[in-house]
């Protein structure tokens, strides 16, 4: 049991990576559609690139969405409308008409008899109106729309909508009916009378109308014709026209929806798992070979895998809702975030792998992958100094422009014209660009969750008005001035070899904060000529000097400085000796001097940036001892200090080359010459 626990403890980092790899793979496969992928790719108006294609089984040719919508529109035009008719209304109206007529013409000759021509004319108009029906409201149906009049759940009459009368439009009908045979005064009286007595007797039966329409729509066939097994579908080199495209699209749908779901579900699952696992394995191998410091840090590996899974999750959500909105997913956030925390190469590599995985589930996968990879490349090339807000806005604008240009080119290639250009897709690209701006608060959130540090945080830490640096300048002004000089030297050196200049500058500003606890024990802070080391032994003095590293780490952690900054405090002396007190002790006691008691605990620098700080710190501190400096003195001085560090193996763990060290030496010589107002002596 103990052996097993020991093995687990020794290999816990590797075990964690394996578990992370498996969980991420299964999660991504779970998000993928559980169907096969049609093996052929085709586009309308393009030649068929594969061999002659024969139907593998019988299948029906599906109608396009446009065809189905056109049929639905036609059915809606001709589907009958059902109205409920009330025949009792006519008798009521006739009785009211008689009463109203007698009252209206009481003082007239028409009162002598009910069989006058005017009365009969009005009665005939009522018969005509109620023969078809008077509507209870104004409806917007087409005048030729079939109408069924229903009474007691039976269809009593079939006519068209134009045969029905609407109260709002009765006046012209009444005027035409009475003509010009009567006086204008009598005509107006009859019109007024009719508007008083006429009542609607027909109302729309929504339930029956909608039910009939629904039944008619359900009768629409979703297919038009069929293809028999082994029938030639398309020949190699033949252009995919409208008809062939419909057949191929039908075959693809049938292939993905039926064959794989029923027969080969498990095989599809295994195949997806293999491909996703292979893709993620490539990422791990890349980290293992080119980004060892990232690979060894489980938090950073988890962060990368989490972001890839998050982008795939968001994309699948959008596809499941409506694949037309796929371009609204801000996929370029992935390379932006990874570049902010790591570097451009890792960001682009992870972005490309993510796009390859998404190619399994997105429609028009080639077009999508091309657009996203191009956008990712533009993101990596354009976004520099992310902490500057203007740079982010400019880069997002360029990314959006590239999206629009590439999409426009694809559309023209597919359609051969721009008349039917889908402008709403351009709007999706703009929304995608706006969503990409969310990367700034997202970086802040990631810093808090994963304990990482970005250039934005480094910029904040480089401000000399921060609480910690102000305290350093007040308690140890000489150390603060030394740190500023080292920061300038380190930043110039980092820029020379392409290292992270912002990171090394921040590390230089904080590398000696441990000296705040005992500032007078360091020569740069001794202004009154009193040296407290004169009352201490060499071992005690060396111990105090060495302790500033440990104390600096404690102060940094108490003030929540990022681990990457604490690394500079921990490694800026490596495992070197406190040489002055070591030699002093050796001169007193030559045989019994333990070098370990005069050595810093380490570790040695393990990156270019920490190696740069060690060189710059040693050179700047020792440069104060130069008397009457000349170009040759400065040259020998820098060479001796850096070469001694190399001889003692301080840079063995840092991924820095001899060429880069030579470049750093050159920068240090030039800077020191400027500080001492010297001119470099160039050979004749």
């Amino acid at each position: 049991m103990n052996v097993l626990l020991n093995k687990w403890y020794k290999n816990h980092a590797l075990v964690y990576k394996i578990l992370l790899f498996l969980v991420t793979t299964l999660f991504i496969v779970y998000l993928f559609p559980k169907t096969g992928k049609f093996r052929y790719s085709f586009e309308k108006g393009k030649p068929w690139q594969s061999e002659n294609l024969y139907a593998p089984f019988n299948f029906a040719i599906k109608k396009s969405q446009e065809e189905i919508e056109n049929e639905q529109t036609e059915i809606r035009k001709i589907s009958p409308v059902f109205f409920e008719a009330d025949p009792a209304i006519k008798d009521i109206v006739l009785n009211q008409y008689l009463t109203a007529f007698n009252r209206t013409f009481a003082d007239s000759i028409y009162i002598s008899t009910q069989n006058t021509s005017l009365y009969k004319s009005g009665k005939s108009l009522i018969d005509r109106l109620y023969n078809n029906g008077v509507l209870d409201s104004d409806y917007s149906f087409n005048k030729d729309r079939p109408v069924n009049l229903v009474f007691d759940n039976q269809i009593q009459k079939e006519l068209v909508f134009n045969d029905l009368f609407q109260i709002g439009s009765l006046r012209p009908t009444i005027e035409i009916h009475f003509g010009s045979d009567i006086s204008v005064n009598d005509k107006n009286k009859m019109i007024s009378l009719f508007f008083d007595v006429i009542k609607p007797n027909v109302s729309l039966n929504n339930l029956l109308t909608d039910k009939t329409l629904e039944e008619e729509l359900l009768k629409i066939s979703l297919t038009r014709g069929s293809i028999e097994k082994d029938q030639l579908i398309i020949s190699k080199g033949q252009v995919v026209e409208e008809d062939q495209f419909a057949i191929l699209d039908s075959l693809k749908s049938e292939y993905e929806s039926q064959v794989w779901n029923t027969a080969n579900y498990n095989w599809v699952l295994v195949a997806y798992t293999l491909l996703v696992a292979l893709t993620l394995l490539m990422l791990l191998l890349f980290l293992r070979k080119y980004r060892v410091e990232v690979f060894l840090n489980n938090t950073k590996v988890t962060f990368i895998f989490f972001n890839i899974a998050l982008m795939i999750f968001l994309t699948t959500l959008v596809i499941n809702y409506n694949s037309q909105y796929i371009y609204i997913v801000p996929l370029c956030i992935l390379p932006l975030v990874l570049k902010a925390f790591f570097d451009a190469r890792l960001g682009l590599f992870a972005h490309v792998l993510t796009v390859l995985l998404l190619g399994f589930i997105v429609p028009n996968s080639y077009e999508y992958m091309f657009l996203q990879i191009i956008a990712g490349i533009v993101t990596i090339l354009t976004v520099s100094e992310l902490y500057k807000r203007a740079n982010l806005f400019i880069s997002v604008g360029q990314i959006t422009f590239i999206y629009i240009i590439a999409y426009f080119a694809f559309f023209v290639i597919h359609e051969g014209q721009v008349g039917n250009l889908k402008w709403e897709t351009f709007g999706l690209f703009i929304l995608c660009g706006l969503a990409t701006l969310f990367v700034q608060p997202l970086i802040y959130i990631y810093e808090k969750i994963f304990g990482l540090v970005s250039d934005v945080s480094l910029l904040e830490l480089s401000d000399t008005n921060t609480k910690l640096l102000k305290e350093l300048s007040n308690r140890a002004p000489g150390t603060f001035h030394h740190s500023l000089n080292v920061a300038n030297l380190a930043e110039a050196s980092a820029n020379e070899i392409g290292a992270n200049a912002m990171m090394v500058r921040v590390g230089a500003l904080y590398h000696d904060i441990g000296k705040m606890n005992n500032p007078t024990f360091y020569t740069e802070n001794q202004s009154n000529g009193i040296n407290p080391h004169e009352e201490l032994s060499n071992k005690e003095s060396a111990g105090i000097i060495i302790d500033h590293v440990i104390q600096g780490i404690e102060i940094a952690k108490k003030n929540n400085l990022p681990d990457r900054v604490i690394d500079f405090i921990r490694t800026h002396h490596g495992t070197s000796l406190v040489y002055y007190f070591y030699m002093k002790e050796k001169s007193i006691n030559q045989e019994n001097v333990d070098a370990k008691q005069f050595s810093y605990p380490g570790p040695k620098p393990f990156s270019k940036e920490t190696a740069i700080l060690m060189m710059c710190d040693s050179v700047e501190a020792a440069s104060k001892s130069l008397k009457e400096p000349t170009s040759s003195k400065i040259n020998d001085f820098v060479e001796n200090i850096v070469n001694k560090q190399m001889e003692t193996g301080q840079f063995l763990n840092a991924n820095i080359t001899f060429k880069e060290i030579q470049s750093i030496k050159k920068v240090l010589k030039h800077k020191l010459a400027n500080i001492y107002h010297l001119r470099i002596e160039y050979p004749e």
Side-chain angles (χ1 to χ4, degrees):
M1 186 66 180
N2 290 333
V3 175
L4 187 63
L5 289 174
N6 288 335
K7 286 185 177 180
W8 164 264
Y9 180 77
K10 289 180 181 178
N11 300 294
H12 71 279
L14 180 60
V15 172
Y16 176 83
K17 288 184 181 69
I18 294 173
L19 290 175
L20 177 66
F21 172 80
L22 293 175
V23 169
T24 308
T25 300
L26 294 176
F27 177 72
I28 293 174
V29 171
Y30 172 76
L31 295 175
F32 281 2
K34 306 305 183 293
T35 59
K37 189 78 173 176
F38 191 55
R39 61 181 295 186
Y40 302 104
S41 60
F42 55 92
E43 296 177 26
K44 191 187 298 183
K46 291 292 195 66
W48 177 258
Q49 300 294 337
S50 305
E51 298 297 326
N52 294 354
L53 178 63
Y54 296 89
F57 45 75
N58 299 336
F59 65 94
I61 304 172
K62 293 186 177 182
K63 294 178 182 176
S64 67
Q65 188 62 34
E66 184 180 358
E67 288 177 304
I68 295 173
E69 288 175 357
N70 289 337
E71 289 188 29
Q72 290 174 342
T73 302
E74 288 300 317
I75 286 176
R76 289 190 178 95
K77 289 180 181 179
I78 63 174
S79 177
V81 181
F82 289 82
F83 285 94
E84 292 283 349
D86 187 356
I89 297 292
K90 180 180 178 181
D91 294 334
I92 296 172
V93 171
L94 285 172
N95 290 332
Q96 291 179 350
Y97 169 66
L98 175 60
T99 303
F101 185 85
N102 290 334
R103 184 175 62 249
T104 302
F105 298 98
D107 299 328
S108 170
I109 61 171
Y110 298 108
I111 196 70
S112 60
T113 177
Q114 294 181 8
N115 296 321
T116 62
S117 60
L118 183 58
Y119 176 81
K120 290 181 178 180
S121 179
K123 187 175 180 298
S124 69
L125 179 57
I126 291 174
D127 291 336
R128 176 185 165 197
L129 293 176
Y130 286 98
N131 185 45
N132 292 338
V134 179
L135 294 167
D136 63 339
S137 179
D138 291 337
Y139 298 99
S140 58
F141 296 116
N142 189 285
K143 64 180 183 178
D144 297 324
R145 183 78 175 264
V147 170
N148 290 334
L149 291 182
V150 178
F151 176 63
D152 287 340
N153 294 323
Q154 296 291 328
I155 297 176
Q156 301 295 330
K157 195 172 187 180
E158 295 181 358
L159 58 161
V160 295
F161 182 72
N162 195 48
D163 293 335
L164 299 174
F165 295 94
Q166 302 185 59
I167 291 180
S169 58
L170 275 181
R171 188 180 186 92
T173 303
I174 298 172
E175 289 179 345
I176 294 171
H177 177 79
F178 288 109
S180 58
D181 295 337
I182 61 175
S183 65
V184 175
N185 184 45
D186 288 344
K187 182 184 288 189
N188 290 336
K189 286 181 179 180
M190 290 300 290
I191 292 173
S192 177
L193 184 151
F194 264 79
F195 275 106
D196 288 339
V197 301
I198 295 298
K199 291 180 173 56
N201 72 326
V202 172
S203 60
L204 179 64
N205 188 326
N206 280 301
L207 184 62
L208 193 54
T209 301
D210 292 342
K211 184 179 179 181
T212 303
L213 176 60
E214 185 179 351
E215 290 175 354
E216 292 296 323
L217 291 176
L218 289 175
K219 292 178 183 177
I220 295 177
S221 173
L222 300 180
T223 62
R224 51 174 179 86
S226 61
I227 300 294
E228 300 295 325
K229 183 179 179 181
D230 296 329
Q231 181 179 336
L232 178 63
I233 296 175
I234 193 168
S235 304
K236 183 177 181 180
Q238 183 180 348
V239 176
V240 181
E241 302 289 353
E242 184 74 33
D243 292 341
Q244 283 84 12
F245 183 83
I247 296 172
L248 290 169
D249 195 52
S250 300
L251 176 60
K252 179 180 177 182
S253 300
E254 190 75 17
Y255 188 83
E256 293 179 350
S257 64
Q258 293 184 12
V259 176
W260 290 96
N261 276 349
T262 55
N264 298 4
Y265 175 85
N266 292 331
W267 281 111
V268 172
L269 211 60
V270 170
Y272 270 141
T273 304
L274 288 174
L275 290 174
V276 173
L278 185 62
T279 305
L280 295 179
L281 182 62
M282 293 303 102
L283 178 59
L284 286 175
L285 292 176
F286 174 85
L287 295 176
R288 180 68 182 83
K289 185 171 180 63
Y290 298 106
R291 299 293 182 272
V292 178
E293 72 281 1
V294 176
F295 180 81
L296 295 176
N297 189 318
N298 282 343
T299 301
K300 293 179 179 179
V301 176
T302 304
F303 175 73
I304 296 170
F305 275 58
F306 171 79
N307 276 277
I308 292 174
L310 178 63
M311 288 296 117
I312 295 174
F313 174 69
L314 291 176
T315 305
T316 52
L317 277 183
V318 172
I319 290 174
N320 292 335
Y321 174 71
N322 190 335
S323 61
Q324 292 181 352
Y325 299 131
I326 189 172
Y327 288 113
I328 206 171
V329 180
L331 205 63
C332 288
I333 281 183
L334 179 62
L336 277 175
V337 167
L338 295 183
K339 183 180 180 181
F341 288 113
F342 305 109
D343 59 83
R345 190 176 177 185
L346 174 55
L348 182 59
F349 191 83
H351 177 73
V352 171
L353 292 182
T354 305
V355 173
L356 290 176
L357 289 174
L358 289 174
F360 290 120
I361 59 175
V362 297
N364 299 323
S365 56
Y366 175 77
E367 176 182 328
Y368 177 85
M369 292 166 63
F370 183 91
L371 283 175
Q372 296 294 1
I373 290 175
I374 290 294
I377 293 172
V378 171
T379 302
I380 292 297
L381 294 178
T382 58
V383 178
S384 59
E385 298 178 325
L386 190 61
Y387 54 85
K388 294 182 179 179
R389 288 171 294 180
N391 287 356
L392 179 60
F393 277 96
I394 293 170
S395 297
V396 167
Q398 292 172 332
I399 294 166
T400 305
F401 180 72
I402 292 298
Y403 269 131
I404 291 174
I405 291 296
Y407 174 78
F408 174 80
F410 268 109
F411 186 88
V412 173
I413 290 172
H414 291 164
E415 302 295 331
Q417 45 88 29
V418 296
N420 298 324
L421 197 62
K422 297 179 180 178
W423 296 101
E424 60 271 18
T425 307
F426 294 160
L428 296 180
F429 290 137
I430 294 172
L431 290 176
C432 177
L434 294 175
T436 306
L437 295 175
F438 183 69
V439 70
Q440 284 283 19
L442 188 64
I443 287 174
Y444 176 79
I445 294 170
Y446 280 154
E447 286 179 335
K448 299 305 178 185
I449 295 176
F450 292 93
L452 302 172
V453 59
S454 68
D455 286 350
V456 180
S457 294
L458 292 177
L459 182 65
E460 295 173 356
L461 290 171
S462 66
D463 184 2
T464 54
N465 289 317
T466 59
K467 179 183 176 182
L468 196 55
L469 290 180
K470 269 191 172 183
E471 188 179 356
L472 178 64
S473 66
N474 291 331
R475 294 174 61 178
T479 299
F480 178 71
H481 184 261
H482 159 73
S483 297
L484 287 175
N485 290 337
V486 173
N488 292 331
L489 291 173
E491 185 177 19
S493 301
N495 283 325
E496 182 68 21
I497 66 170
N500 191 333
M502 180 67 73
M503 174 61 74
V504 77
R505 178 175 182 82
V506 172
L509 289 173
Y510 291 91
H511 78 284
D512 270 345
I513 56 174
K515 292 182 179 180
M516 286 194 296
N517 291 348
N518 297 297
T520 56
F521 282 86
Y522 305 93
T523 55
E524 65 265 25
N525 299 312
Q526 296 169 358
S527 57
N528 52 9
I530 299 175
N531 188 351
H533 288 289
E534 293 176 356
E535 300 178 1
L536 301 174
S537 67
N538 294 322
K539 290 181 180 179
E540 290 174 330
S541 295
I544 291 173
I545 300 297
I546 291 170
D547 280 348
H548 88 273
V549 174
I550 306 299
Q551 292 169 357
I553 294 171
E554 292 174 353
I555 293 171
K557 288 184 176 180
K558 191 179 295 183
N559 287 270
N560 297 318
L561 289 184
D563 289 340
R564 292 177 70 185
V565 177
I566 296 176
D567 287 341
F568 287 92
I569 302 173
R570 186 181 287 114
T571 62
H572 74 278
H573 284 297
T575 56
S576 60
L577 288 167
V578 183
Y579 196 71
Y580 176 80
F581 291 109
Y582 174 71
M583 294 305 296
K584 193 175 179 182
E585 179 67 19
K586 203 170 184 179
S587 65
I588 299 172
N589 187 2
Q590 295 183 355
E591 295 181 358
N592 299 320
V593 180
D594 185 4
K596 291 183 179 180
Q597 294 179 335
F598 293 86
S599 300
Y600 286 97
K604 297 176 181 179
F606 47 79
S607 67
K608 289 181 182 180
E609 289 76 17
T610 50
I612 289 171
L613 178 61
M614 172 179 271
M615 288 183 259
C616 295
D617 179 45
S618 301
V619 168
E620 202 286 331
S623 67
K624 300 294 189 294
S625 63
L626 279 175
K627 298 177 180 179
E628 299 180 359
T630 62
S631 298
S632 57
K633 279 186 178 181
I634 289 175
N635 185 71
D636 294 339
F637 167 77
V638 172
E639 290 286 344
N640 289 336
I641 290 178
V642 177
N643 287 343
K644 188 173 183 180
Q645 290 173 337
M646 293 173 64
E647 289 169 5
T648 56
Q650 297 301 319
F651 305 138
L652 290 178
N653 297 333
N655 58 337
I656 191 167
T657 64
F658 285 114
K659 183 178 180 180
E660 288 170 337
I661 293 174
Q662 289 301 116
S663 298
I664 293 169
K665 287 180 182 177
K666 184 179 178 181
V667 171
L668 293 175
K669 294 171 187 176
H670 180 71
K671 288 289 184 181
L672 287 178
N674 287 340
I675 291 171
Y676 292 107
H677 306 291
L678 299 177
R679 182 172 178 176
I680 299 295
E681 296 177 1
Y682 296 99
E684 297 181 1

